[in-house]
Amino acid sequence: MNGASQEPSIIESVARRARVASRAMLSVSSSEKDAALSAMREQLSKSKDRILEANVADISAAKARLAEGKISASLVKRLELGGAKFDGVLTGIASVRSLGDPVGECSLSRQIDDGLQLYRVACPIGVICVIFEARPEAAVQIASLAVKSANAVILKGGKEAEKSNAALVEAIRAGLKSVNFPEDAVQLVATREEVRELLDQSKCIDLIIPRGSNALVKYITNNTRIPVMGHADGICSVYVDETASPSKAANIVVDAKAQYPAVCNAAETMLVHRSALNTVLPVVGAALAEAGVELRADAASKAVLDSVKGLKVVDVSAVDYDTEFLELILAVKVVDSVDEAIAHINEHGSGHTDCIITEDEGAARRFLGMVDSAGVYHNASTRFADGFRLGFGAEVGVSTHRTHARGPVGLEGLMIYKYKLLGNGHTVKPYVDGDKVLKHKDTPDQLPPL
Amino acid sequence: MNGASQEPSIIESVARRARVASRAMLSVSSSEKDAALSAMREQLSKSKDRILEANVADISAAKARLAEGKISASLVKRLELGGAKFDGVLTGIASVRSLGDPVGECSLSRQIDDGLQLYRVACPIGVICVIFEARPEAAVQIASLAVKSANAVILKGGKEAEKSNAALVEAIRAGLKSVNFPEDAVQLVATREEVRELLDQSKCIDLIIPRGSNALVKYITNNTRIPVMGHADGICSVYVDETASPSKAANIVVDAKAQYPAVCNAAETMLVHRSALNTVLPVVGAALAEAGVELRADAASKAVLDSVKGLKVVDVSAVDYDTEFLELILAVKVVDSVDEAIAHINEHGSGHTDCIITEDEGAARRFLGMVDSAGVYHNASTRFADGFRLGFGAEVGVSTHRTHARGPVGLEGLMIYKYKLLGNGHTVKPYVDGDKVLKHKDTPDQLPPL
């Protein structure tokens, strides 16, 4: 599209400025990054009135669209930045600031030969593009992680939060500027049309993190050659084994399905061992009835569940086992063994998080080993699959990919490494000619002097 | 193309079988993998005559094409499997066997709350597709790494080595089968037409590693949404700083350029600090003249280099600084500072490996910190950028990407991790409601019991 013009487009300029900022950030110290985070926080606090004014404008526009039936009430709710939420945003920056500096961590130190020393040292990936919908506080959280990890970030927010995001990023950049931190470390692009052009900036963008609907993630994965980190579906399963404790099963299934059904780590399928049909399933069914969950059950489980008082049960159809309901609906299937449960999950799951409820350690071991998902849980709710709950301090997203980072991704997922090799005039020729031999001695206590 | 048919194509079947094998390998033990590697080695040794017969057939066909001028003499040479090379192939398997098992390594152990324990445990990526040209011994090396890491691999070899690859993989699979290891852990596809279809198997292939020409790597990156690990260009630079030792500079530049110019870690550009023009450059120039290197120099360096006896020097053109020559040609440019050298490398290099020659630690520190490449070397030849030389035991390739793995990639690059969470009926509700608080206490000595 830009072939005829020599002038870079707005998006090209944004991407190039991000690359320049990312290069400049290669020399910032830990204390400069922490000062930048403090300045961001201070500036956001000072700009609170202006930000909330912008947020109110977004919310009224969204309410008008809600009245027209164009967006959902939950989307309007997620836009809100006022009250305790704003304080939470500020606290979040302090919490990222308090994390250890991930840059410079040395994960390998090896003597290659006398006077020739190798180090593998953590460094930022470079330029990250995060595409997110609604939830304007995500802009602040991601910007904090970017600054802490010395990555430049291009934020592409949703249309509904346009004014809120603009006010937040304006304050963030003012904060960065006030302490002479590269302000292009955080940039915002807003309109929907720009996504396509962002996906073409493979020279200046190193990683795209989409946070949003399935449709968004799939569109992005299919339309860029930049690496993508994220997840499309979140089809999590809970398997109730033959030795499952009925009370643990009831508690965990209800928590995994009903505690907050609209999220990717909520359960969508319950697998039940045939031997647990008459012992455990009625207890779980009663708890699900109380939680208002509708079950879509196969014949064997329906025969049992139909007699649970107040429980809505309908016949399952094949597509239900591949569906992320994101509401109070749970597909149910009976299996004859832990291996059948494993096979079902590996075939129909999305590699996000799956749980076995059992008192049998052998079955748990097999399930945890053979289920090919980012999270494999024993007697614990799938809802724990979250960077904050697992203690990563902050989260850029959950990855169901099998490279780079998997599961809930915190600061570590924004890092890569470089190899530093320090010599004294070393050449490969004597080793190739066989005059000298490489030593390859690990020296874990030695840190890079340069 | 297969929309109308329900029958899977050959490539789809290969990919699905690889996925099945990768799932089966989730339960193999270290000793089973080592036994499989020993059996591979034994079977290759037994099949030596048949393999070398196939290799001779490939070589004669290649010589005929060489006579027609269709392929290069070096390609013919790279096909050869006989003599010491065959023994090297067998030794290579033993060397991979002797590496530590990368599966199951625990990189995080954390108490989330009483009775709720998190572990991050290394596991295979799943299904890897390696596309390689010529060099049939690569098939054995990659198969060994796949077995050791419990990944299934689909090998796509070059047409010239078709018979050799088929004989090698037949023996490998027979070896795996003899010890009841999933033989589909290693599969071979041969014809050029199949590459395109492999690139579409995103459901069953998790990572593509292209090892070959720039054109091949670029084609693959542009035509798949499967993650790709590798490098296109290898434009490595050596920067001769103002305090460079003339003898170190001469040795390193000659080694980096001329020891083996046809490889990605050979230097293509020499940057020289203006203050070193009359002190260091003439010494380096004389050494390059002796090594038969042609220089493409800017005006300032040419003025000096023109008086070096026996040195061929021509005027550089802008494109030379973006060219991977892969022969005895070196682009030369004069810079006024280490920062100008860094800026040139970050703009024109390919992020592979770059070297500074200096006796000034401050300059070295700045170069190593600010050059945004996988390898940043001080007073050491770029030719060290190689998995074997750096002690990784084996190499699947060199990555210039900025995610997952960077630089020379050994076994670690074939691994990812899963999170195991072991509870006792834990749900998130009490933590969300504020009735309980998460502990997040790292327990580095604790290993996963399941």
Side-chain angles (χ1 to χ4, degrees):
Chain A
M1 280 189 350
N2 300 294
S5 157
Q6 293 301 310
E7 195 73 14
S9 70
I10 291 173
I11 291 295
E12 280 174 321
S13 301
V14 164
R16 287 185 196 179
R17 283 205 304 273
R19 176 65 82 207
V20 170
S22 84
R23 294 263 160 76
M25 277 192 283
L26 290 174
S27 68
V28 298
S29 65
S30 299
S31 56
E32 285 170 319
K33 292 188 291 187
D34 288 348
L37 288 166
S38 298
M40 268 172 58
R41 185 184 175 175
E42 200 177 322
Q43 194 61 50
L44 282 164
S45 178
K46 275 191 205 160
S47 313
K48 182 174 177 178
D49 291 348
R50 196 191 308 180
I51 292 165
L52 292 185
E53 207 174 291
N55 188 238
V56 164
D58 280 337
I59 292 169
S60 2
K63 281 184 175 159
R65 285 171 57 78
L66 171 64
E68 294 165 21
K70 287 187 176 157
I71 59 173
S72 69
S74 71
L75 195 154
V76 178
K77 183 144 186 58
R78 277 183 290 161
L79 281 178
E80 284 170 16
L81 260 183
K85 209 161 195 188
F86 196 85
D87 298 333
V89 167
L90 299 184
T91 312
I93 301 174
S95 130
V96 169
R97 187 183 183 283
S98 72
L99 295 172
D101 189 346
V103 176
E105 276 189 18
C106 182
S107 56
L108 177 77
S109 174
R110 176 175 294 164
Q111 188 188 28
I112 304 297
D113 197 1
D114 293 330
L116 186 64
Q117 184 77 27
L118 178 72
Y119 304 93
R120 184 172 59 205
V121 180
C123 62
I125 288 175
V127 178
I128 318 279
C129 174
V130 184
I131 301 175
F132 61 107
E133 296 180 338
R135 287 222 314 121
E137 72 268 31
V140 182
Q141 190 189 332
I142 297 161
S144 309
L145 289 167
V147 168
K148 187 77 186 187
S149 61
N151 284 287
V153 68
I154 299 169
L155 296 164
K156 166 71 189 73
K159 198 167 66 92
E160 287 77 13
E162 196 167 356
K163 292 189 171 67
S164 311
N165 288 334
L168 288 167
V169 172
E170 191 190 334
I172 289 170
R173 288 170 58 94
L176 297 178
K177 199 175 177 185
S178 72
V179 291
N180 294 315
F181 198 88
E183 57 179 331
D184 285 334
V186 182
Q187 293 183 88
L188 176 73
V189 300
T191 72
R192 170 65 92 169
E193 293 66 39
E194 285 161 340
V195 169
R196 179 73 216 207
E197 219 189 324
L198 279 168
L199 302 184
D200 290 336
Q201 307 299 317
S202 61
K203 212 176 141 61
C204 286
I205 298 177
D206 301 309
L207 179 65
I208 298 186
I209 304 178
R211 297 165 44 129
S213 67
N214 276 1
L216 172 77
V217 178
K218 283 183 180 160
Y219 172 78
I220 288 168
T221 309
N222 290 340
N223 287 284
T224 188
R225 59 185 137 132
I226 303 171
V228 176
M229 183 164 74
H231 67 279
D233 298 302
I235 301 182
C236 302
S237 296
V238 178
Y239 165 55
V240 179
D241 192 33
E242 59 180 319
T243 67
S245 140
S247 62
K248 288 180 194 171
N251 285 336
I252 289 174
V253 172
V254 168
D255 194 74
K257 175 72 262 182
Q259 196 276 328
Y260 190 12
V263 287
C264 63
N265 59 16
E268 308 294 0
T269 298
M270 172 170 62
L271 302 168
V272 185
H273 193 286
R274 196 172 300 277
S275 307
L277 269 181
N278 295 305
T279 50
V280 188
L281 188 58
V283 182
V284 176
L288 288 168
E290 203 176 320
V293 178
E294 171 192 322
L295 301 191
R296 303 202 176 166
D298 63 353
S301 60
K302 192 161 182 290
V304 174
L305 292 165
D306 273 338
S307 36
V308 174
K309 209 176 125 187
L311 184 62
K312 184 171 177 203
V313 191
V314 300
D315 288 326
V316 75
S317 59
V319 73
D320 290 325
Y321 295 127
D322 299 308
T323 300
E324 187 177 18
F325 299 109
L326 295 172
E327 50 184 317
L328 291 176
I329 299 174
L330 185 67
V332 186
K333 183 186 164 84
V334 175
V335 295
D336 285 311
S337 64
V338 63
D339 280 349
E340 193 184 337
I342 292 165
H344 177 95
I345 291 170
N346 284 342
E347 180 66 26
H348 297 274
S350 61
H352 190 299
T353 303
D354 300 285
C355 161
I356 180 171
I357 306 172
T358 187
E359 298 301 306
D360 173 358
E361 284 212 347
R365 179 174 292 114
R366 183 145 184 96
F367 185 93
L368 267 50
M370 298 296 287
V371 167
D372 192 10
S373 296
V376 283
Y377 291 9
H378 175 219
N379 288 347
S381 169
T382 57
R383 294 272 296 115
F384 280 103
D386 171 286
F388 295 94
R389 294 212 177 96
L390 299 185
F392 302 160
E395 179 181 285
V396 289
V398 176
S399 166
T400 57
H401 290 225
R402 281 206 186 76
T403 51
H404 189 65
R406 197 180 194 200
V409 180
L411 267 184
E412 277 180 61
L414 300 179
M415 306 304 295
I416 186 71
Y417 49 77
K418 57 165 56 169
Y419 286 99
K420 293 184 177 179
L421 183 68
L422 310 186
N424 188 28
H426 289 74
T427 58
V428 302
K429 192 170 188 301
Y431 305 99
V432 174
D433 293 348
D435 298 335
K436 287 174 88 177
V437 175
L438 297 164
K439 289 193 171 158
H440 294 156
K441 198 176 100 192
D442 283 349
T443 52
D445 295 335
Q446 209 175 316
L447 292 177
L450 298 178
Chain B
M1 286 198 329
N2 299 295
S5 157
Q6 292 302 310
E7 196 71 13
S9 71
I10 290 173
I11 291 294
E12 280 175 321
S13 301
V14 164
R16 287 185 196 180
R17 282 204 306 271
R19 176 63 83 208
V20 170
S22 84
R23 295 262 161 78
M25 277 192 284
L26 290 175
S27 68
V28 298
S29 66
S30 299
S31 57
E32 284 170 318
K33 292 188 290 186
D34 288 350
L37 289 165
S38 297
M40 268 172 58
R41 186 183 174 176
E42 200 179 320
Q43 194 62 48
L44 283 164
S45 177
K46 275 191 204 160
S47 315
K48 182 173 178 180
D49 290 348
R50 196 190 309 179
I51 292 165
L52 292 186
E53 207 174 290
N55 188 237
V56 165
D58 279 338
I59 294 170
S60 359
K63 280 183 175 160
R65 285 171 57 79
L66 171 64
E68 294 165 20
K70 287 186 176 157
I71 59 172
S72 70
S74 71
L75 194 154
V76 178
K77 186 148 183 54
R78 276 182 291 158
L79 282 179
E80 285 171 14
L81 261 184
K85 210 161 193 185
F86 196 85
D87 299 332
V89 167
L90 298 184
T91 314
I93 301 174
S95 130
V96 169
R97 188 183 182 283
S98 73
L99 296 172
D101 189 347
V103 176
E105 275 188 19
C106 182
S107 56
L108 177 75
S109 174
R110 177 174 295 163
Q111 188 189 26
I112 302 299
D113 197 358
D114 293 330
L116 186 63
Q117 183 76 28
L118 178 72
Y119 305 93
R120 184 172 60 206
V121 179
C123 63
I125 289 175
V127 178
I128 318 280
C129 174
V130 184
I131 301 175
F132 62 106
E133 296 180 338
R135 289 219 316 119
E137 72 269 30
V140 182
Q141 191 189 331
I142 297 160
S144 310
L145 289 167
V147 168
K148 188 77 185 186
S149 61
N151 284 285
V153 67
I154 298 169
L155 296 163
K156 166 70 189 73
K159 196 166 70 93
E160 288 77 12
E162 196 167 357
K163 291 188 172 67
S164 313
N165 287 335
L168 288 167
V169 172
E170 190 189 334
I172 290 170
R173 288 169 58 94
L176 297 179
K177 200 176 175 184
S178 72
V179 291
N180 293 315
F181 198 88
E183 59 179 329
D184 286 333
V186 181
Q187 294 183 89
L188 176 73
V189 299
T191 72
R192 172 64 91 170
E193 293 66 39
E194 286 162 340
V195 169
R196 179 72 217 209
E197 220 190 323
L198 279 168
L199 302 183
D200 290 336
Q201 306 301 316
S202 61
K203 209 175 144 61
C204 286
I205 298 177
D206 301 309
L207 179 66
I208 297 185
I209 305 178
R211 297 165 46 130
S213 67
N214 276 1
L216 172 76
V217 178
K218 283 182 180 160
Y219 172 78
I220 289 168
T221 310
N222 290 340
N223 288 283
T224 189
R225 61 186 138 133
I226 303 172
V228 177
M229 181 164 77
H231 67 280
D233 297 303
I235 301 181
C236 301
S237 296
V238 177
Y239 166 55
V240 179
D241 192 34
E242 59 180 320
T243 66
S245 141
S247 63
K248 287 180 195 172
N251 286 337
I252 289 174
V253 173
V254 168
D255 193 75
K257 176 71 260 184
Q259 196 275 329
Y260 190 14
V263 286
C264 63
N265 59 16
E268 308 294 359
T269 298
M270 171 169 63
L271 303 168
V272 185
H273 193 285
R274 196 172 301 276
S275 306
L277 268 182
N278 297 305
T279 50
V280 188
L281 188 58
V283 183
V284 176
L288 287 169
E290 204 176 319
V293 176
E294 172 192 321
L295 301 191
R296 302 201 176 166
D298 63 353
S301 59
K302 190 160 185 288
V304 175
L305 292 165
D306 273 339
S307 35
V308 174
K309 210 175 124 187
L311 184 62
K312 184 170 178 203
V313 190
V314 300
D315 287 327
V316 75
S317 59
V319 73
D320 290 325
Y321 295 127
D322 299 308
T323 301
E324 186 177 20
F325 299 110
L326 294 173
E327 50 183 317
L328 291 175
I329 300 173
L330 185 66
V332 185
K333 182 185 165 86
V334 175
V335 295
D336 285 310
S337 64
V338 63
D339 280 349
E340 193 184 335
I342 292 164
H344 177 95
I345 290 170
N346 283 342
E347 180 67 25
H348 297 275
S350 60
H352 190 298
T353 304
D354 300 285
C355 161
I356 179 171
I357 305 171
T358 188
E359 299 300 307
D360 173 357
E361 284 212 348
R365 180 174 292 115
R366 183 145 182 93
F367 185 93
L368 267 50
M370 299 296 287
V371 168
D372 192 11
S373 296
V376 285
Y377 291 8
H378 175 221
N379 288 346
S381 169
T382 56
R383 294 273 294 115
F384 280 103
D386 170 287
F388 296 93
R389 294 212 177 97
L390 299 185
F392 302 160
E395 181 181 283
V396 289
V398 176
S399 166
T400 58
H401 290 224
R402 281 207 186 76
T403 48
H404 188 65
R406 198 179 193 201
V409 180
L411 267 185
E412 276 181 63
L414 300 180
M415 306 304 295
I416 186 73
Y417 48 76
K418 57 165 58 168
Y419 287 98
K420 293 184 177 179
L421 184 67
L422 311 187
N424 188 28
H426 289 74
T427 57
V428 302
K429 191 168 189 300
Y431 306 99
V432 173
D433 293 347
D435 297 334
K436 287 172 87 179
V437 175
L438 296 164
K439 288 194 169 157
H440 295 156
K441 198 175 102 193
D442 282 348
T443 52
D445 295 335
Q446 209 175 314
L447 292 176
L450 298 179

